[in-house]
């Protein structure tokens, strides 16, 4: 039976829209137009249940374990600070449902599974490989997953019951394990009813900044703690001055006195984000960690050929990092994400709107006065992987064909229906020519 394509990868949906399978209408008349965007009380952060059971890296050969920076471990997704709308589709595709009922063993049955927020639903498959009848739904809040082999895993629900599920290949297996692990610990936010936040006149700009030059090491695990060099500090401050001017000219900082900057939590990314803030008014930037954006080795960087294979280029390393980056892509590259609701927008005066129109509207239809911006400080490999995804190109064997400088800036734009476009990549014009570095 042919596998059903996973639409969150191939055709990303905007956060505010439900899956096509949803029967809920979040925009029906009579609903309160301004519900609280806060978390559900029942979905407060909880102690992780993943650390003792989710160890896909245990299947690796001993030789792989020498490269600690890229081994998949629960530390890379545990407490990932993910926030998702209850209607967000985090994963979708065909799995084989296994298990036992009483004294009779079930036959392996293929079902289409959809993970929407923390609700994992499964459906029959009709003769045309489409969704059939809804067969059941599991709430995965607080659940854990355990890998059985290269094609199956166990889902352990908080009520003590377990479900065994089979995947067609190891990448799909890791995609599902990662999606469930992140979703089980995510903060769930109800979709907003404020239609002005999802208006089609808004474009969301995600600005990706690679960290500055840092004191690296031959030991990958030590690289997690390598600080910025003096050159890296200069690069980060120059980038901060550029971004402050870029956002100020577009009146973004007038509309959002508090502005978020996301980072991976790795020391070089944290210090870069802090140095960006040197160019902004004190307290105006709010730094937020997101572990999903840690450095990765997401597949082969170049086509396989006559080159030495690195320790990190092992199947378990690469499929685990790919799965993590897919979750990062699904949860950040959306028109509206839950974190956007936490930063109130101030209305511009008519004079300010007219000034914006005179400055930008005559030059570009892609820059509008009510556009939304996010800044993410992360790493070269994952930025190149994101660019491939945005262009609809298979990252495997491709992402390594692009070079990337320290504090280079890449911008991706998301429209109101979820289409992602590359605006520019590895922009370094804000740096002095003597400040350009890569390794």
């Amino acid at each position: 039976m042919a596998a059903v394509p996973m639409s969150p990868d191939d055709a990303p949906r905007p956060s505010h829209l439900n899956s096509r399978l949803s029967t809920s209408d979040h925009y029906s008349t009579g609903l309160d137009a301004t519900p609280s965007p806060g978390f559900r009380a029942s979905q407060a952060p909880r102690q992780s249940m993943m650390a003792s059971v989710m160890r896909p890296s245990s299947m690796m050969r001993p030789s792989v374990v020498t490269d600690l920076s890229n081994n998949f471990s629960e530390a890379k997704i545990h407490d990932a600070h993910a926030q998702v709308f209850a209607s967000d589709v985090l994963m979708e595709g065909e799995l084989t449902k296994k298990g036992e009922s009483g004294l009779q063993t079930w036959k392996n049955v293929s079902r289409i599974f959809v993970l929407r927020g923390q609700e994992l639903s499964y459906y029959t498959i009709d003769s045309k490989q489409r969704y059939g009848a809804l067969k059941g739904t599991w709430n995965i809040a607080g659940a854990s997953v355990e890998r059985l082999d290269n094609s199956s895993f166990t889902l352990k629900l908080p009520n003590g019951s377990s479900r065994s599920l089979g995947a067609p290949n190891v990448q799909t297996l890791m995609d599902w394990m990662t999606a469930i692990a992140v979703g089980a610990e995510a903060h769930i936010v109800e979709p907003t009813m404020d239609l002005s936040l999802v208006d089609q006149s808004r474009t969301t700009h995600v600005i990706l900044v690679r960290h500055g030059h840092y004191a690296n090491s031959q030991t990958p695990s030590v690289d997690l703690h390598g600080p910025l060099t003096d050159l890296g500090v200069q690069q980060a401050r120059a980038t901060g001055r550029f971004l402050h001017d870029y956002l100020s000219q577009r009146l973004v900082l007038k509309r959002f006195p508090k502005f978020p900057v996301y980072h991976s939590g790795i020391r070089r990314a944290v210090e870069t984000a802090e140095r960006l803030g040197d160019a902004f008014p004190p307290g105006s930037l709010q730094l937020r960690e997101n572990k999903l954006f840690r450095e990765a080795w997401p597949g082969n960087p170049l086509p396989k050929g006559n080159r030495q294979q690195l320790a990190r280029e092992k199947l378990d390393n690469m499929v685990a990092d790919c799965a993590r980056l897919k979750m990062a892509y699904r949860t950040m590259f959306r028109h509206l994400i839950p974190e956007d609701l936490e930063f109130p927008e101030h209305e511009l005066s008519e004079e300010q709107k007219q000034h914006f129109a005179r400055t930008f509207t005559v030059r570009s239809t892609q820059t509008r006065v009510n556009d939304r911006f996010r800044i993410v400080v992360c790493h070269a490999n994952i930025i190149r992987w994101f660019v491939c995804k945005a262009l609809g190109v298979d990252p495997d064997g491709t992402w390594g064909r692009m070079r990337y400088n320290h504090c280079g800036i890449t911008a991706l734009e998301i429209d109101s229906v979820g289409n992602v476009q590359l605006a520019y990549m590895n922009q370094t014009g804000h740096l002095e020519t003597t400040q350009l570095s890569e390794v």
Side-chain angles (χ1 to χ4, degrees):
M1 181 176 292
V4 177
M6 297 183 183
S7 58
D9 284 340
D10 300 329
R13 298 185 183 88
S15 298
H16 62 282
L17 296 179
N18 291 329
S19 163
R20 60 181 178 272
L21 301 173
S22 175
T23 58
S24 301
D25 179 9
H26 291 282
Y27 302 116
S28 58
T29 58
L31 293 177
D32 184 1
T34 57
S36 171
F39 304 135
R40 295 178 185 171
S42 61
Q43 304 298 340
R46 58 176 62 84
Q47 181 67 30
S48 171
M49 299 177 64
M50 306 304 301
S52 61
V53 293
M54 186 171 184
R55 300 186 183 275
S57 55
S58 63
M59 303 296 294
M60 298 179 186
R61 293 185 293 274
S63 61
V64 181
V65 182
T66 58
D67 188 354
L68 299 178
S69 70
N70 285 281
N71 280 352
F72 178 74
S73 67
E74 56 275 5
K76 282 193 175 182
I77 59 173
H78 162 54
D79 196 19
H81 297 277
Q83 295 187 33
V84 298
F85 286 117
S87 58
D88 283 351
V89 176
L90 302 181
M91 190 69 189
E92 184 176 17
E94 184 177 334
L95 294 173
T96 302
K97 188 169 178 288
K98 306 176 180 181
E100 294 183 352
S101 178
L103 299 178
Q104 295 183 342
T105 301
W106 305 340
K107 293 181 179 180
N108 293 344
V109 179
S110 292
R111 295 282 186 256
I112 293 179
F113 283 76
V114 179
L115 177 58
R116 187 185 297 107
Q118 289 182 329
E119 299 294 328
L120 180 59
S121 303
Y122 55 98
Y123 302 77
T124 59
I125 305 174
D126 67 15
S127 59
K128 295 183 179 180
Q129 299 297 301
R130 298 177 304 189
Y131 291 84
L134 174 65
K135 299 298 291 183
T137 298
W138 304 321
N139 188 314
I140 65 162
S144 61
V145 288
E146 183 175 6
R147 179 172 172 176
L148 300 177
D149 50 42
N150 282 343
S151 62
S152 61
F153 67 95
T154 297
L155 169 63
K156 297 182 178 180
L157 300 172
N159 62 10
S161 62
S162 298
R163 302 290 188 272
S164 295
L165 300 171
N169 53 62
V170 68
Q171 183 64 68
T172 304
L173 172 78
M174 199 66 74
D175 290 348
W176 273 104
M177 291 182 66
T178 302
I180 292 174
V182 172
E185 296 183 341
H187 302 303
I188 302 299
V189 180
E190 290 297 335
T192 179
M193 307 302 167
D194 185 354
L195 297 184
S196 67
L197 295 175
V198 295
D199 186 77
Q200 63 180 5
S201 66
R202 286 180 181 261
T203 296
T204 296
H205 305 257
V206 179
I207 299 174
L208 303 172
V209 179
R210 186 191 179 189
H211 58 79
H213 186 267
Y214 70 107
N216 62 350
S217 167
Q218 296 302 312
T219 305
S221 59
V222 176
D223 282 351
L224 298 176
H225 309 291
L228 293 184
T229 62
D230 290 342
L231 173 60
V233 171
Q234 295 171 12
Q235 293 167 334
R237 285 176 172 162
T239 305
R241 290 191 293 271
F242 167 79
L243 290 174
H244 178 266
D245 182 62
Y246 181 87
L247 297 173
S248 296
Q249 293 292 339
R250 287 157 179 78
L251 304 181
V252 177
L253 301 181
K254 292 284 187 182
R255 294 164 49 219
F256 297 98
K258 294 286 187 179
F259 191 83
V261 174
Y262 303 90
H263 60 78
S264 67
I266 302 301
R267 181 173 178 177
R268 56 188 182 268
V270 175
E271 292 184 356
T272 300
E274 291 172 343
R275 298 289 70 78
L276 294 181
D278 292 345
F280 289 75
S284 61
L285 292 189
Q286 185 174 117
L287 305 187
R288 296 195 165 196
E289 179 185 13
N290 189 326
K291 291 184 179 180
L292 296 179
F293 285 88
R294 291 193 172 191
E295 184 61 297
W297 196 264
N300 296 299
L302 297 168
K304 295 180 180 179
N306 295 326
R307 62 183 180 87
Q308 183 178 2
Q309 187 180 45
L310 302 176
R312 66 189 66 182
E313 293 184 280
K314 301 296 183 181
L315 182 62
D316 273 21
N317 285 346
M318 295 190 292
V319 298
D321 278 348
C322 280
R324 175 167 55 88
L325 294 192
K326 288 177 182 178
M327 281 300 298
Y329 192 83
R330 293 172 194 147
T331 54
M332 178 60 70
F333 294 90
R334 292 176 177 262
H335 187 248
L336 182 72
I337 61 175
E339 289 89 339
D340 293 336
L341 305 181
E342 300 177 29
F343 296 90
E345 181 177 0
H346 292 195
E347 182 70 21
L348 295 176
S349 67
E350 286 302 318
E351 181 180 356
Q352 290 171 325
K353 292 179 181 179
Q354 291 172 9
H355 171 75
F356 182 94
R358 290 192 301 269
T359 306
F360 293 104
T361 304
V362 295
R363 302 177 186 176
S364 173
T365 58
Q366 293 302 312
T367 302
R368 292 173 285 193
V369 69
N370 58 350
D371 282 358
R372 184 182 294 112
F373 291 79
R374 304 181 197 124
I375 296 176
V376 182
V377 180
C378 50
H379 306 269
N381 291 358
I382 71 173
I383 293 175
R384 294 181 284 182
W385 191 93
F386 291 147
V387 168
C388 290
K389 293 295 289 184
L391 295 177
V393 177
D394 185 0
D396 190 59
T398 304
W399 64 266
R401 293 175 179 267
M402 296 170 274
R403 307 295 290 270
Y404 209 95
N405 295 100
H406 291 117
C407 282
I409 301 175
T410 292
L412 297 171
E413 299 173 350
I414 305 104
D415 65 18
S416 61
V417 294
N419 297 312
V420 182
Q421 290 183 307
L422 175 65
Y424 50 85
M425 177 183 173
N426 195 26
Q427 175 177 296
T428 56
H430 57 285
L431 301 176
E432 299 290 340
T433 56
T434 55
Q435 293 178 333
L436 296 177
S437 63
E438 181 182 349
V439 179

